[in-house]
Amino acid sequence: MIGLALLVWPAVCNAAVGTLRPFVTGTTAFQSDGAEYAAWQVAGSPAITVLDGRDGHQHLVTPPAGCRLMRQGMLGEIRTDAARFMLECGSGQQAVLDARSGVAVDLSHGAGAYYDWISTGSRYAESRRTCGNGQCVALEDLRTDAVSLRRHVALYDLNRPGAPVSAVCGALRRRLASALEIAEPGYFAFADGVFALPTKSDEGVELLRCKGKPRILQKRVIPRDFQLGAGILTWDTGYPLRESAPEEALPGPARLISYRLVDGRRHEWRLPSIPVSGIGDGPQPFGYSAHAGDTVFWIATTSAFGGETGATLDQATIYTARL
């Protein structure tokens, strides 16, 4: 752990605004574990590229026949950890890919019920809400294939035996429970007792822990895509593509922001506004952000399937910068 249990929040260091550089074009899917690894797949290629965000090393992984890296999709709820990534394999089948070994583990369809798997750690995969009324989730043990049902209003540690509920102190429990009820992907991030989310007005960025006062990191923005791992928090103020039309942002330039918990060091990058083939809104910063190791990513939508109520990602260009 990288000094997250500081008694006093470090001062927020002023940040110069940098520029993101195009890295890979024509991608159809991207995932990041928020700590070390990112993975993407390019249109027409059966291979998945895995990047070690700490040293920049890349290698190719060939998924099982018929499988491909899951895209964020209309709800964008995919959450990965510990160098594991989600695959979709046709006919409703899904799998978890170990980026280090290249080994994939098939996930269960469920006994009498269909499970839509959207999150994974090193030991368990977690489904979208199920049980008919959406009051539970399924967890599958990646080593034994055993599936159990858990009540959904909790944050489970998918890297530990038994997938226990993540330890949350009373001071944060109510805010976390409320955040879990919000379906918006990337609405919050929680790791090692640190909780990042929008302020109560939804127009700022707030950092909480069990002891000490909250830290306001940004005001007058609508933050999205929170990711917290390896002692680094990232978020952005770009536009998402969802089933509904993109929301209007508050006045001001769209940015990707990083904040290092141990020393308060902060970086910002301008988000590129580019035309999106398939929708007619003109150049806009459509996409989502992530990080792995010392690398930040902006997955900029370049083409989408348009509709009356919004759009769905088709292809994207990955932009990057180093911290």
Side-chain angles (χ1 to χ4, degrees):
M1 189 167 68
I2 311 177
L4 303 187
L6 298 174
L7 294 179
V8 179
W9 290 119
V12 179
C13 301
N14 292 329
V17 179
T19 301
L20 297 164
R21 304 296 182 185
F23 184 57
V24 183
T25 61
T27 62
T28 57
F30 174 93
Q31 295 176 31
S32 165
D33 69 1
E36 298 177 328
Y37 293 94
W40 61 84
Q41 195 160 13
V42 174
S45 173
I48 294 171
T49 302
V50 176
L51 170 75
D52 187 328
R54 299 165 299 178
D55 59 17
H57 176 73
Q58 297 181 35
H59 68 276
L60 296 178
V61 175
T62 301
C67 294
R68 63 181 184 180
L69 192 68
M70 283 179 64
R71 66 178 64 195
Q72 285 293 90
M74 290 184 292
L75 294 178
E77 294 165 314
I78 299 171
R79 181 170 61 89
T80 58
D81 198 359
R84 267 59 171 192
F85 298 106
M86 299 292 299
L87 304 178
E88 52 188 357
C89 304
S91 302
Q93 185 64 47
Q94 294 174 266
V96 171
L97 175 69
D98 185 328
R100 296 189 183 98
S101 68
V103 174
V105 177
D106 290 336
L107 295 173
S108 171
H109 278 281
Y114 172 72
Y115 298 135
D116 188 5
W117 304 102
I118 59 172
S119 302
T120 185
S122 61
R123 289 179 175 268
Y124 293 87
E126 182 176 338
S127 77
R128 200 187 304 278
R129 296 180 186 184
T130 184
C131 295
N133 58 2
Q135 294 303 305
C136 70
V137 296
L139 298 182
E140 178 164 347
D141 189 318
L142 299 178
R143 303 184 182 190
T144 67
D145 298 329
V147 176
S148 60
L149 298 178
R150 308 277 186 94
R151 65 185 185 88
H152 77 265
V153 187
L155 192 63
Y156 299 103
D157 189 337
L158 304 180
N159 298 319
R160 293 178 58 193
V165 174
S166 297
V168 182
C169 65
L172 302 183
R173 194 169 296 128
R174 181 175 296 180
R175 291 288 299 275
L176 181 59
S178 297
L180 286 167
E181 289 292 342
I182 295 175
E184 180 75 12
Y187 179 77
F188 73 94
F190 179 85
D192 297 315
V194 178
F195 187 22
L197 75 169
T199 57
K200 292 181 179 180
S201 68
D202 287 331
E203 296 185 358
V205 176
E206 188 173 15
L207 205 58
L208 306 172
R209 62 182 181 187
C210 290
K211 296 181 179 179
K213 295 182 179 180
R215 164 60 58 88
I216 303 299
L217 299 182
Q218 196 175 23
K219 299 179 180 179
R220 294 290 298 162
V221 296
I222 299 178
R224 298 182 175 94
D225 304 316
F226 286 95
Q227 190 173 43
L228 178 57
I232 296 171
L233 170 68
T234 54
W235 70 93
D236 66 78
T237 60
Y239 293 153
L241 285 175
R242 300 284 191 269
E243 288 179 315
S244 58
E247 300 175 13
E248 291 296 327
L250 294 174
R255 300 278 172 83
L256 190 165
I257 305 98
S258 73
Y259 175 81
R260 194 183 300 272
L261 270 64
V262 70
D263 57 12
R265 192 171 184 181
R266 175 169 163 164
H267 292 84
E268 294 188 13
W269 298 268
R270 298 179 184 88
L271 297 182
S273 290
I274 57 178
V276 178
S277 174
I279 59 176
D281 289 346
Q284 298 285 352
F286 289 116
Y288 60 95
S289 63
H291 74 272
D294 290 329
T295 304
V296 295
F297 304 90
W298 174 248
I299 298 82
T301 304
T302 56
S303 65
F305 301 109
E308 293 182 359
T309 59
T312 302
L313 174 68
D314 177 30
Q315 291 189 20
T317 292
I318 300 173
Y319 289 76
T320 65
R322 297 283 290 181
L323 294 175

